[in-house]
Amino acid sequence: MSPFYGEITRLDLDSHLGPNMETLMTLTPERTDNELAQERRLVTAIPGPKSMALLARKTEAVSNGVGVTLPVFVAKAGGGVLVDVDGNSIIDMGSGIAVTTVGNANPYVVENVQRQVAAFTHTCFMVNPYSGYVEVCEALNRLTPGDHAKRSALFNSGAEAIENAVKIARSYTNRAAVVVVEHGYHGRTNLTMAMTAKNMPYKDGFGPFASEVYRVPTSYPFRDAPLSGLDIAKRAISRIEKEIGGTKVAAIVIEPIQGEGGFIVPGAGYFAAIAAFAKANGIVFVADEIQSGFCRTGDWFASSYEGVIPDLVTTAKGIAGGLPLAGVTGRAEIMDSVHAGGLGGTYGGSPVACAAALGAIRWMEEEDACGRAKAIESVMLPALAAMKVNHPTIGEIRGRGAMLAIELIRPGTMEPDPERTSAVAKYCHGEGVMVLTTGTYSNVMRFLPPLTMPMHLLEEALSIVERGFEATG
Ligand SMILES: *Cc1c(COP(=O)(O)O)cnc(C)c1O
């Protein structure tokens, strides 16, 4: 349907791909449907004068508690770029934190949303239902790991999905305790603040927090060596058994690849061992796939890499091409254990967000989004590995698909270097490349490009990141 997103073109990825790697990449063309030239273009300083004027208004109108990473006010976005109110075109290596996986203003999403808002905008699914909600649940049941009978329920945000996964697990098990892990991130509401590890900025001053939340060790291979993922799993399991009691735990909630914690990929065996322990103890195993899901890592869901079939999966972020939507999907007997009326919310599964999700999911299926994420990885990993050779501040490169990161250390030590991380990010921002930092120690640069990123912009962004390391060395 879209002349731009529909054409499959064989790209010459020349030196980046191994000789055996046959990759079909859809070429995002010179311009997107919303007429954005796919180029990095700086016409003012970053931020420019119009953004600065809006920033002054923001300071007067918006709570100081709502921070901004890079104050360029966006006018349009699509393909691989954000265009600001001053006319600068910035390469988007963040996707609004893994949300616009299908590209900003993806035409499949735009068309579905436009059709839906013209038909009706809201009924409240709990009052008068509509088919889009059911279709999104059918898609979630089909796409999440495992072929057992599943049910889904829809919400507005990731944190709300996590809250509801905990409600469902407690209702099903008739137990109270919730186990989470070090470096975990699950949101900013009261319960999810308790489940999130990092104090600043997420929790500081916002307590008291919800009770019955327990934190156990996570596998962080870069910092655990020589211990294996399995060693750490044993340690975590022992903590649960000794300090809580396996039969007291309603749910274990874990990200298969930790997002805000620093794109930490657990060591081999960790995730599967925790899932097996949950199964043996009647604990609901919840995979928080809010950041890692929907083809971000090169598979529909990152749990699959570990061969794990979670009892419940939480989704949000990439699900609806930028509209607010979240889901909890899981075993029918667990999801159906809740009394009718026990789950819901005024806007949960809004018809407009559902229409967007159906467009986004169709695009992911038709355009081989998982293959695109893998192709992005095959360009980025060798380029980042080459950077590591020249810059000893790069301690580790990790991640999967289009969810990749660099952890920065003070050379020759394991000490995190948040200052250098922030300096490299600032350099990139000034040069028109949107990058995000993250991590418990704020020393991780993370890359989450939209899967519509044209290869020439990806390569340009990488060369600017490299220059950022050179300029701050
Ligand atoms: C972003 C995120 C959340 C919270 O989602 P919101 O939509 O911001 O509430 C929860 N878990 C993970 C893994 C996330 O990345």
Side-chain angles (χ1 to χ4, degrees):
M1 84 170 237
S2 156
F4 294 125
Y5 292 83
E7 286 163 24
I8 304 264
T9 309
R10 187 177 290 271
L11 264 191
D12 179 17
L13 295 172
D14 50 59
S15 59
H16 295 298
L17 297 184
N20 304 326
M21 180 139 180
E22 283 282 316
T23 306
L24 268 179
M25 280 291 294
T26 307
L27 178 66
T28 303
E30 299 298 294
R31 283 178 185 278
T32 57
D33 275 16
N34 56 0
E35 304 198 321
L36 287 184
Q38 293 300 297
E39 62 181 6
R40 182 175 67 100
R41 182 182 68 235
L42 299 184
V43 296
T44 69
I46 301 290
K50 289 182 180 160
S51 278
M52 291 299 273
L54 283 163
L55 184 62
R57 283 171 58 191
K58 181 225 171 233
T59 306
E60 289 302 310
V62 180
S63 163
N64 180 60
V66 183
V68 166
T69 304
L70 172 60
V72 297
F73 282 72
V74 174
K76 256 186 168 186
V81 299
L82 303 162
V83 175
D84 74 10
V85 288
D86 289 289
N88 299 297
S89 179
I90 289 166
I91 303 175
D92 181 11
M93 295 294 283
S95 299
I97 318 185
V99 170
T100 53
T101 301
V102 298
N104 227 308
N106 179 301
Y108 285 38
V109 173
V110 171
E111 193 188 292
N112 273 13
V113 166
Q114 285 176 340
R115 215 184 300 135
Q116 181 58 48
V117 287
F120 66 94
T121 49
H122 175 79
T123 63
C124 187
F125 186 77
M126 303 180 300
V127 177
N128 299 111
Y130 36 87
S131 63
Y133 189 114
V134 178
E135 286 170 48
V136 171
C137 291
E138 287 169 349
L140 284 167
N141 297 348
R142 175 168 55 84
L143 295 167
T144 48
D147 52 12
H148 49 281
K150 293 178 208 157
R151 305 277 188 269
S152 292
L154 303 180
F155 305 97
N156 300 294
S157 68
E160 216 187 325
I162 295 287
E163 294 248 358
N164 279 280
V166 170
K167 280 167 65 174
I168 294 162
R170 283 178 170 160
S171 168
Y172 175 70
T173 58
N174 211 12
R175 303 174 182 178
V178 174
V179 170
V180 292
V181 302
E182 295 164 342
H183 308 290
Y185 181 86
H186 303 289
R188 296 170 177 266
T189 58
N190 188 263
L191 174 60
T192 58
M193 273 193 293
M195 297 171 68
T196 288
K198 192 176 177 179
N199 180 50
M200 245 347 225
Y202 306 123
K203 302 165 72 162
D204 197 72
F206 299 144
F209 304 112
S211 60
E212 288 302 322
V213 176
Y214 302 87
R215 192 172 309 286
V216 301
T218 196
S219 165
Y220 191 157
F222 180 57
R223 296 189 173 276
D224 292 344
L227 295 179
S228 71
L230 207 54
D231 292 334
I232 306 292
K234 284 182 189 150
R235 194 177 276 182
I237 288 165
S238 163
R239 284 273 291 279
I240 297 170
E241 286 176 331
K242 300 290 175 260
E243 298 181 15
I244 315 162
T247 58
K248 297 292 182 290
V249 179
I252 300 176
V253 183
I254 306 198
E255 300 156 84
I257 296 179
Q258 293 190 309
E260 306 304 298
F263 283 23
I264 305 164
V265 184
Y270 175 82
F271 196 66
I274 302 285
F277 171 77
K279 197 183 174 94
N281 288 273
I283 299 167
V284 177
F285 185 79
V286 184
D288 180 351
E289 294 258 17
I290 288 168
Q291 191 155 165
S292 57
F294 282 103
C295 302
R296 179 47 61 187
T297 65
D299 206 328
W300 277 91
F301 293 94
S303 300
S304 305
Y305 290 104
E306 317 297 334
V308 167
I309 296 176
D311 297 315
L312 300 182
V313 175
T314 55
T315 51
K317 293 205 164 95
I319 189 176
L323 274 81
L325 187 70
V328 180
T329 300
R331 296 187 187 282
E333 67 273 20
I334 300 176
M335 295 295 294
D336 281 344
S337 71
V338 180
H339 52 278
L343 304 177
T346 305
Y347 294 116
S350 127
V352 181
C354 286
L358 293 171
I361 291 166
R362 185 159 76 87
W363 185 88
M364 289 183 215
E365 293 193 296
E366 286 180 8
E367 297 292 329
D368 184 20
C370 291
R372 283 170 174 250
K374 286 187 186 131
I376 286 172
E377 176 188 306
S378 70
V379 171
M380 288 192 68
L381 275 188
L384 296 175
M387 265 182 236
K388 186 172 186 288
V389 173
N390 296 327
H391 302 285
T393 187
I394 300 180
E396 189 180 50
I397 289 154
R398 59 176 178 251
R400 284 197 175 113
M403 184 175 184
L404 300 174
I406 299 173
E407 175 157 356
L408 281 78
I409 49 166
R410 297 187 209 287
T413 74
M414 289 299 284
E415 220 181 295
D417 194 344
E419 294 82 17
R420 181 89 181 265
T421 310
S422 147
V424 176
K426 269 213 177 72
Y427 177 91
C428 294
H429 295 166
E431 294 296 313
V433 177
M434 185 62 221
V435 292
L436 296 166
T437 61
T438 193
T440 300
Y441 314 112
S442 308
N443 68 326
V444 174
M445 287 195 80
R446 59 170 155 175
F447 304 105
L448 293 162
L451 304 182
T452 51
M453 176 65 72
M455 284 301 142
H456 72 277
L457 288 187
L458 190 63
E459 286 171 353
E460 199 173 340
L462 285 164
S463 71
I464 287 164
V465 170
E466 166 122 58
R467 270 190 264 149
F469 280 105
E470 280 156 13
T472 58

